[in-house]
């Protein structure tokens, strides 16, 4: 017999087998591949690589091959398809296919895909991440946030669909922020903000602060389904978000030895939950107070 702890690594590293599910593998040469899929997939991969430097195996239409192998997982079939049809000329990392000897990071691929979109929902982004990396783990959110403009909880649009009057928006922000550090949820009205082509939301404001404002910036986000973070003037310099929170706490009258400080940061929207970051910020805030003699 062969011990399972030796068999599984051997099967996983072999190009003669693909993993179907936990504890189950299929022979690559036993998978029935449709010749029409071979023709279409080869043309698509080559054209995508010529245009973008990479192709996503998840975007290759293998409908006929999938139908030929109903008892196998889609992932297993795609992996086998790559080995049988593409591996001689291309490399694969995750779901990213490049020419042999070349490489493209998953983040670069997701950024390029986001830039090509006019609109995307969170569900769309999850599908892109899954196609590129094999699974959706929310890694695409900060990438989309950097490449597109988020207009509400669920929707991102291309940059050209929003027209920010930077001077006017910064002037409106000054009323709420001034020279201090303000949680984004403290912006409770947009009556003084100019129309920018889309209705104002805190999500839209996050995008504006992250990429467009001349006077202010935001740290602490973005989050998938809530607004979080601190707004402050760009001339304030902090090493990281923990330093921002420490400054907020040091300047407050909160007791830094109990739960009051952490509860405050959560309640007003500087953070979503108590984490090690909050604990570190509280320790740093106590040090700042000691230095000031408070």
């Amino acid at each position: 017999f062969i011990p399972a702890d030796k068999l599984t690594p051997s099967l996983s590293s072999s190009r003669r087998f693909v993993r179907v599910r936990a504890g189950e593998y299929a022979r690559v040469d036993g998978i029935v591949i449709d010749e029409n899929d071979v023709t279409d997939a080869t043309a698509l991969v080559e054209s995508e690589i010529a245009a973008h430097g990479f192709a996503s195996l998840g975007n290759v239409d293998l409908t006929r091959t999938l139908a030929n192998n109903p008892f196998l997982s889609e992932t297993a079939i795609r992996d086998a398809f790559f080995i049988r049809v593409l591996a001689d000329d291309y490399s694969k990392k995750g779901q990213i296919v490049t020419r042999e000897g070349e490489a493209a990071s998953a983040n670069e691929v997701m950024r390029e895909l986001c830039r090509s979109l006019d609109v995307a929902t969170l569900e769309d982004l999850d599908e892109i991440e899954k196609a590129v990396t094999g699974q959706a783990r929310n890694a695409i959110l900060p990438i989309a946030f950097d490449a597109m403009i988020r207009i509400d909880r669920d929707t991102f649009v291309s940059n050209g669909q929003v027209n920010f009057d930077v001077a006017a928006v910064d002037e409106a922000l000054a009323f709420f922020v001034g020279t201090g550090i303000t949680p984004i949820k403290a912006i409770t009205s947009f009556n003084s903000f100019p129309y920018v082509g889309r209705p104002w939301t805190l999500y839209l404001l996050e995008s504006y602060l992250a990429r467009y404002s001349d006077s202010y910036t935001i740290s602490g986000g973005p989050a998938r389904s809530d607004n979080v973070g601190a707004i402050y003037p760009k001339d304030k310099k902090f090493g990281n978000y923990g330093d921002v929170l420490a400054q907020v706490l040091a300047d407050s009258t909160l007791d830094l030895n109990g739960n009051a400080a952490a509860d405050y940061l959560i309640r007003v929207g500087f953070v979503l939950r108590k984490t090690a970051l909050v604990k570190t910020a509280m320790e740093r805030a106590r040090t700042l107070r000691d230095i000031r003699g408070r």
Side-chain angles (χ1 to χ4, degrees), residues 18 57 74-84 92 95:
V18 289
L57 190 62
E74 180 176 346
T75 299
I77 292 171
R78 290 188 180 279
D79 287 344
F81 187 91
F82 176 81
I83 293 170
R84 292 260 300 273
K92 182 171 79 73
Q95 294 294 298

Side-chain angles (χ1 to χ4, degrees), residues 198-274:
R198 297 279 184 167
W200 277 101
T201 65
L202 291 180
Y203 293 99
L204 180 57
L205 182 59
E206 281 186 88
S207 282
Y208 171 78
L209 287 161
R211 298 175 52 206
Y212 293 94
S213 176
D214 287 336
S215 302
Y216 298 96
T217 190
I218 186 169
S219 296
R224 182 176 177 89
S225 58
D226 204 351
N227 303 111
V228 65
I231 307 170
Y232 52 90
K234 281 188 172 181
D235 59 11
K236 288 182 179 292
K237 304 299 181 182
F238 297 99
N240 52 55
Y241 193 49
D243 290 343
V244 177
L245 298 179
Q247 187 70 59
V248 169
L249 295 177
D251 291 343
S252 74
T253 58
L254 293 164
D255 178 6
L256 301 180
N257 294 308
N259 294 323
D263 292 344
Y264 168 77
L265 294 177
I266 295 169
R267 185 174 69 255
V268 302
F270 280 118
V271 296
L272 295 179
R273 62 189 65 86
K274 187 174 181 179

Side-chain angles (χ1 to χ4, degrees), residues 80-125:
F81 187 91
F82 176 81
I83 293 170
R84 292 260 300 273
V85 177
L86 301 170
D88 287 344
D89 300 310
Y90 301 96
S91 298
K92 182 171 79 73
K93 184 176 182 180
Q95 294 294 298
I96 303 305
V97 178
T98 58
R99 289 192 179 93
E100 185 69 36
E102 299 179 358
S105 75
N107 285 357
E108 290 172 351
V109 173
M110 290 190 288
R111 182 172 290 105
E112 185 66 27
L113 292 173
C114 285
R115 287 172 176 164
S116 71
L117 300 173
D118 289 326
V119 62
T121 64
L122 287 176
E123 184 177 352
D124 294 332
L125 296 176

Side-chain angles (χ1 to χ4, degrees), residues 159-178:
N159 296 332
Q161 296 187 49
V162 183
N163 299 300
F164 292 116
D165 182 335
V166 173
V169 177
D170 281 355
E171 183 178 354
L173 275 170
F175 174 78
F176 292 95
V177 183

Side-chain angles (χ1 to χ4, degrees), residues 27-59:
R27 286 177 51 180
V28 169
D29 60 8
I31 294 174
V32 182
I33 293 178
D34 188 279
E35 287 303 317
N36 291 312
D37 283 351
V38 172
T39 301
D40 294 347
T42 303
L44 176 64
V45 167
E46 184 56 36
S47 65
E48 287 294 302
I49 290 177
H52 307 293
F54 65 89
S56 171
L57 190 62
N59 290 337

